[in-house]
Amino acid sequence: MHIDIITLFPHMFQGPFEEGILRRAREKGLLSIALHDLRAFGVGKHRQVDDVPYGGAPGMLLRPEPIVAAVESILDRPVFRGADTAVEVETLPPIILLTPQGRPLTQAVVKELARHDRLVLICGRYEGVDERVREFLVTDEISIGDYVLSGGELAAMVLVDAVTRVLPGALGYERGAEEDSFASGLLEGPQYTRPPEFRGRQVPDVLLSGHHERIAAWRRDQALKRTRERRPDLLEKRTSSEDPSSGE
Ligand code: SAM
């Protein structure tokens, strides 16, 4: 998986991408990331990337030309679906704008994105981006939640982290992300490590029993219980083949 990220603040990515699973995925060759400074594609000698909105709204907006130039330079082909250019959208990698107005980033969307060889992420700033970027350049818009961040960089980091976890081999242990919350439509149940007793609180006996089937059944019951308590909406979405009552 190769991910291109277009941003005004490439330095923001240094810490998160150089630690833990992301670092290991890069070292193993499962993931490569290229950061592209939007400023380098700015307009004129001052490399301007933003301007005031027409109509007198407050704040600044990212202009379309630098963003389009950045994507066309990265992909080395026309991508703007303007009036006089033929663009084969089907052969493009997903060109994703991070925006609070996008479709919500869920584990299902994460898995869908992880199936691609390449993603291009565009981080907005200020009051957002010129509408023509949305209409004629991007092929997808993704939100990481119903709140407004100052820029798309943190959202891009969240997306990259979540996608990396589901790349085969990224977690470094066999089970992978299969039992994580949301993978099967449930929250993960409680987990314990050493010591077996801490300040009078015991680890449930079943987990110490060594009986794999009983442990698996307990985990499933606990996942259902936790999901029912905290996210009953998830149970409603599950298919009938995963009937929540079957684990009780
Ligand atoms: N004025 C815009 C609106 O109301 O939709 C919000 C602009 S926000 C201050 C600046 C940038 O942060 C956006 O262009 C987007 O790239 C990013 N951003 C903010 N919240 C986000 C979210 N929940 N998910 C993804 N990106 C977000």
Side-chain angles (χ1 to χ4, degrees):
M1 159 77 73
H2 177 77
I3 305 182
D4 294 285
I5 303 176
I6 300 168
T7 169
L8 273 177
F9 298 99
H11 297 302
M12 279 183 73
F13 293 85
Q14 274 171 3
F17 285 179
E18 282 160 21
E19 303 289 344
I21 287 169
L22 287 182
R23 178 174 59 76
R24 286 201 297 278
R26 295 172 77 186
E27 286 169 357
K28 285 186 202 165
L30 300 172
L31 173 72
S32 58
I33 294 170
L35 296 166
H36 305 276
D37 189 345
L38 184 62
R39 183 72 59 189
F41 299 91
V43 178
K45 79 170 188 248
H46 296 298
R47 302 228 173 261
Q48 190 183 351
V49 293
D50 58 338
D51 218 322
V52 292
Y54 282 116
M60 301 293 271
L61 283 179
L62 290 178
R63 293 171 59 134
E65 317 95 299
I67 300 177
V68 172
V71 178
E72 292 193 332
S73 157
I74 291 165
L75 297 179
D76 196 23
R77 54 182 283 191
V79 288
F80 190 72
R81 303 183 292 278
D84 51 2
T85 326
V87 177
E88 289 173 39
V89 179
E90 315 75 47
T91 59
L92 287 171
I95 302 171
I96 301 169
L97 176 66
L98 281 314
T99 163
Q101 302 179 20
R103 60 185 178 131
L105 184 67
T106 61
Q107 194 65 16
V109 172
V110 165
K111 284 190 187 160
E112 175 197 318
L113 296 177
R115 285 198 283 271
H116 294 274
D117 297 333
R118 185 172 196 177
L119 304 174
V120 178
L121 307 183
I122 301 170
C123 304
R125 270 278 152 180
Y126 314 123
E127 283 312 308
V129 302
D130 183 282
E131 186 66 15
R132 288 163 288 189
V133 168
R134 260 182 219 291
E135 266 191 286
F136 304 115
L137 175 74
V138 305
T139 61
D140 201 353
E141 298 180 40
I142 289 190
S143 164
I144 65 158
D146 288 349
Y147 40 80
V148 178
L149 303 163
S150 315
E153 287 75 12
L154 291 171
M157 290 178 212
V158 168
L159 187 154
V160 171
D161 186 286
V163 166
T164 303
R165 287 181 64 78
V166 300
L167 295 178
L171 291 190
Y173 46 87
E174 229 173 82
R175 190 190 70 147
E178 286 154 34
E179 288 182 32
D180 276 345
S181 293
F182 309 112
S184 65
L186 297 175
L187 299 181
E188 189 172 55
Q191 303 208 80
Y192 297 85
T193 183
R194 291 196 180 94
E197 183 196 323
F198 176 65
R199 297 192 181 183
R201 298 289 174 177
Q202 311 279 344
V203 171
D205 286 342
V206 62
L207 293 178
L208 308 176
S209 69
H211 194 298
H212 298 302
E213 278 169 27
R214 277 178 49 214
I215 292 173
W218 182 86
R219 286 209 169 111
R220 183 177 159 78
D221 282 353
Q222 291 295 316
L224 283 164
K225 181 166 173 273
R226 179 150 288 188
T227 309
R228 192 179 305 110
E229 284 164 3
R230 300 184 183 198
R231 292 291 303 276
D233 57 301
L234 294 177
L235 291 178
E236 282 156 28
K237 284 186 204 147
R238 297 185 88 215
T239 60
S240 52
S241 63
E242 291 167 314
D243 180 3
S245 60
S246 66
E248 294 176 298

